[in-house]
Amino acid sequence: ETGVTQTPRHLVMGMTNKKSLKCEQHLGHNAMYWYKQSAKKPLELMFVYNFKEQTENNSVPSRFSPECPNSSHLFLHLHTLQPEDSALYLCASSQDYRLTGASYEQYFGPGTRLTVT
Amino acid sequence: LAKTTQPVSMDSYEGQEVNITCSHNNIATNDYITWYQQFPSQGPRFIIQGYKTKVTNEVASLFIPADRKSSTLSLPRVSLSDTAVYYCLVGDDGSGNTGKLIFGQGTTLQVKP
């Protein structure tokens, strides 16, 4: 138990569906992240929020839309996804988001296994 | 861009010490070296972070030579539960931002009985 929860744990959706992934952290952290992990590929950073403000968007397609209403909650809204978007989506949080020096330890949730049919 | 190179896989036996070496020839002056562990279908877990010489915590040790072009994660007396993928991460993505973690392929450690 890392203090970061994600729901749902598994999701199957069609390409025309709209769904949302939810992440909640109980650690009092200020930074939250979305990562994508496809089969046999390294984790890819998608978005970073620091104090509810988006600070990083790693050229993610617009069919992925993040939302961070407060420092404890992070959503990833999904619409018109493609089969190649099937992956494990991981949420993480850290105390803060440091631009230089040592990176803050990131605490990851268990992930949502997404299958797009 | 400080990239890392580490073995794709390693095998070990229970009770042995495991050393995983990571090469980062282009490490920048202000880059730190961080290691994460990931079990199947779980998110990565922070193991250790260091800048130079040796860092030790309750889980592992990190050895960094003076030139900092490589580092070695040492896991003492591994058990079957240490079977996982181990990622070595260095500094930033080239833009000076160390808040972003850039994961490589990692080293898959298989511990055998």
Side-chain angles (χ1 to χ4, degrees):
Chain A
E1 180 59 52
T2 63
V4 180
T5 59
Q6 291 186 243
T7 54
R9 294 293 308 277
H10 300 272
L11 178 62
V12 179
M13 60 185 289
M15 290 189 285
T16 59
N17 291 159
K18 288 184 179 181
K19 297 287 185 182
S20 295
L21 309 184
K22 178 183 176 181
C23 175
E24 183 174 0
Q25 57 97 358
H26 311 273
L27 302 167
H29 288 167
N30 297 311
M32 297 189 76
Y33 311 76
W34 279 117
Y35 288 86
K36 173 185 178 183
Q37 187 170 33
S38 304
K40 302 185 185 300
K41 292 178 68 175
L43 277 81
E44 303 171 57
L45 178 64
M46 300 174 72
F47 302 103
V48 180
Y49 278 81
N50 196 33
F51 290 94
K52 302 186 300 179
E53 298 296 322
Q54 187 179 123
T55 57
E56 294 286 341
N57 178 338
N58 274 4
S59 304
V60 180
S62 60
R63 57 186 184 270
F64 295 92
S65 175
E67 178 190 0
C68 188
N70 54 61
S71 293
S72 298
H73 294 86
L74 186 63
F75 296 89
L76 188 62
H77 304 299
L78 317 170
H79 64 97
T80 59
L81 294 191
Q82 304 299 311
E84 60 265 28
D85 295 322
S86 298
L88 180 69
Y89 288 85
L90 292 159
C91 173
S93 72
S94 66
Q95 178 182 335
D96 209 326
Y97 186 61
R98 179 182 276 153
L99 292 177
T100 60
S103 60
Y104 283 102
E105 177 180 347
Q106 292 189 18
Y107 294 76
F108 285 79
T112 295
R113 175 69 62 186
L114 174 66
T115 302
V116 182
T117 61
Chain B
L1 174 61
K3 298 183 70 173
T4 61
T5 302
Q6 50 184 125
V8 174
S9 63
M10 294 180 68
D11 289 340
S12 182
Y13 291 92
E14 283 191 288
Q16 289 187 332
E17 177 184 76
V18 171
N19 296 308
I20 305 174
T21 298
C22 178
S23 173
H24 28 80
N25 291 316
N26 297 323
I27 190 169
T29 302
N30 61 348
D31 285 348
Y32 279 69
I33 301 152
T34 311
W35 287 79
Y36 277 76
Q37 173 194 57
Q38 185 178 24
F39 297 112
S41 298
Q42 293 186 28
R45 183 176 73 105
F46 175 91
I47 301 175
I48 198 166
Q49 183 178 82
Y51 183 79
K52 62 180 179 180
T53 63
K54 177 183 175 182
V55 180
T56 298
N57 60 23
E58 65 277 8
V59 176
S61 294
L62 179 60
F63 297 92
I64 306 168
D67 66 5
R68 304 196 332 116
K69 293 184 182 300
S70 67
S71 59
T72 299
L73 175 72
S74 181
L75 305 172
R77 298 183 59 79
V78 294
S79 63
L80 296 177
S81 62
D82 292 316
T83 293
V85 179
Y86 291 82
Y87 297 97
C88 167
L89 302 99
V90 172
D92 63 86
D93 62 341
S95 67
N97 185 338
T98 59
K100 295 170 65 171
L101 295 182
I102 308 299
F103 286 83
Q105 294 284 2
T107 297
T108 299
L109 172 65
Q110 179 71 51
V111 180
K112 303 176 182 179

